[in-house]
Amino acid sequence: MLTKSQARLFFIIGTVLCAGTFLFLTVDTLLKVPTQTRSANLTPAVERGKEIWDKNNCMGCHTILGEGAYYAPELTKVYERRGPEWIRVFIKDPQAMFPGERKMVKYNFTDDQISDIIAYFKWIGEIDLNGFPPKPSLASGVTVPTGTTAKITPPEKYNQICVACHALEGRGGNVGPALDGVGTRRDAAYLDRWLSDPAAIKPGTAMPKLPLTDAERKDLVNFLSALK
Ligand code: HEC
Ligand code: HEC
């Protein structure tokens, strides 16, 4: 049996230890927030983008950081997934990219507003979320069946980006030309130059310069060259 003073001591030590631990963990968490959220990158453009996001109720259809509605794709990692050029073209005229599919509202934002939204997506995408959202990506896109004798699987980037503007065997967007048989029209060197910078070949073209690594571009060139 504890005496009264032992019980008091037990209570006091227990309380101090637990409160101390609680305070330590709270402070530790608060100290980690700025690095995890990369708060140094919170530019005025990011803030304006967030305001546009709130005012236009994008969450009525989308989720970001897992919050919102489940009608449209989760957008936390959209910057990494699609890249800024793609997002810009998409927001300008969403329905042109996905004709006849679910529809995203056409907002008639100005170029500056779209830049702010993109800045906001970039910042959100850089938050350290301990692996959220889990892979495989929720928006892996359309998979293009290849009915030709030799089945060719499109590289991941094709389904993430190209399919929004180009059709193959009748599936995909129609902002750009269908890519069936592009390997007979264009050689690998041309395709490589085209994907590196379309405007360098054709000034004013509607195909944006897309964020592709050298390896991704090479895979795409091999894939396109095989479309005969
Ligand atoms: C009425 C529902 C709706 C609202 C509101 C909406 N979207 Fe969308 N959004 C969609 C749908 C549906 C898609 C899927 C693409 C499609 O099929 O058109 C989409 C796709 C997107 C994509 C491309 C995602 C991807 O990886 O393919 C972006 C970026 C985007 N929306 C941004 C926004 C922003 C920013 C707002 C607010 C200003 C917004 N959306 C408001 C329905 C909506
Ligand atoms: C935002 C829409 C858009 C996206 C995304 C897009 N393209 Fe294009 N693409 C176009 C348009 C528009 C053209 C026609 C350009 C012109 O003639 O000015 C084009 C042309 C092309 C051509 C030339 C075709 C020909 O017959 O000469 C190839 C090849 C091509 N795109 C491949 C790709 C690949 C691969 C991707 C993905 C990495 C991609 N595109 C993503 C819009 C897009």
Side-chain angles (χ1 to χ4, degrees):
M1 258 308 262
L2 294 174
T3 65
K4 214 172 172 183
S5 62
Q6 279 174 328
R8 189 184 297 125
L9 195 64
F10 187 73
F11 168 78
I12 289 171
I13 291 177
T15 305
V16 167
L17 270 182
C18 291
T21 310
F22 177 75
L23 275 176
F24 169 76
L25 289 176
T26 307
V27 171
D28 184 58
T29 302
L30 288 177
L31 285 178
K32 279 190 178 142
V33 167
T35 17
Q36 275 196 305
T37 59
R38 312 259 197 280
S39 65
N41 299 349
L42 269 174
T43 59
V46 174
E47 284 167 22
R48 288 194 301 271
K50 166 84 164 87
E51 256 165 46
I52 296 173
W53 173 264
D54 289 338
K55 276 209 191 110
N56 292 282
N57 192 27
C58 310
M59 267 199 186
C61 293
H62 289 280
T63 52
I64 204 148
L65 301 177
E67 284 200 50
Y70 292 93
Y71 175 67
E74 157 60 56
L75 295 180
T76 311
K77 294 286 180 199
V78 70
Y79 185 90
E80 181 188 317
R81 185 164 70 232
R82 307 287 201 183
E85 294 82 359
W86 187 98
I87 297 174
R88 178 173 297 279
V89 179
F90 173 75
I91 291 183
K92 272 201 180 146
D93 191 356
Q95 285 155 40
M97 267 200 196
F98 297 101
E101 291 185 28
R102 291 178 305 170
K103 285 189 175 53
M104 153 108 175
V105 190
K106 187 175 175 184
Y107 282 97
N108 300 316
F109 289 130
T110 63
D111 282 349
D112 287 347
Q113 285 174 313
I114 296 179
S115 300
D116 292 344
I117 295 171
I118 291 174
Y120 172 61
F121 283 144
K122 179 169 191 291
W123 175 76
I124 276 275
E126 285 170 352
I127 294 180
D128 178 1
L129 295 168
N130 290 321
F132 175 87
K135 300 223 157 163
S137 159
L138 295 176
S140 55
V142 184
T143 31
V144 182
T146 42
T148 44
T149 36
K151 249 189 173 318
I152 320 163
T153 320
E156 196 189 349
K157 275 284 157 180
Y158 184 87
N159 286 330
Q160 277 181 356
I161 298 185
C162 320
V163 78
C165 292
H166 291 282
L168 197 51
E169 301 194 344
R171 297 187 62 185
N174 63 2
V175 179
L179 293 177
D180 303 87
V182 70
T184 53
R185 295 197 296 277
R186 308 289 186 189
D187 63 19
Y190 176 92
L191 291 169
D192 191 69
R193 272 190 299 136
W194 178 259
L195 292 183
S196 308
D197 189 0
I201 297 187
K202 203 167 171 187
T205 178
M207 166 134 167
K209 185 177 169 183
L210 295 160
L212 301 168
T213 64
D214 287 350
E216 286 163 351
R217 200 176 65 243
K218 201 162 158 253
D219 281 353
L220 284 164
V221 169
N222 288 340
F223 170 66
L224 296 173
S225 305
L227 295 174
K228 293 197 167 142

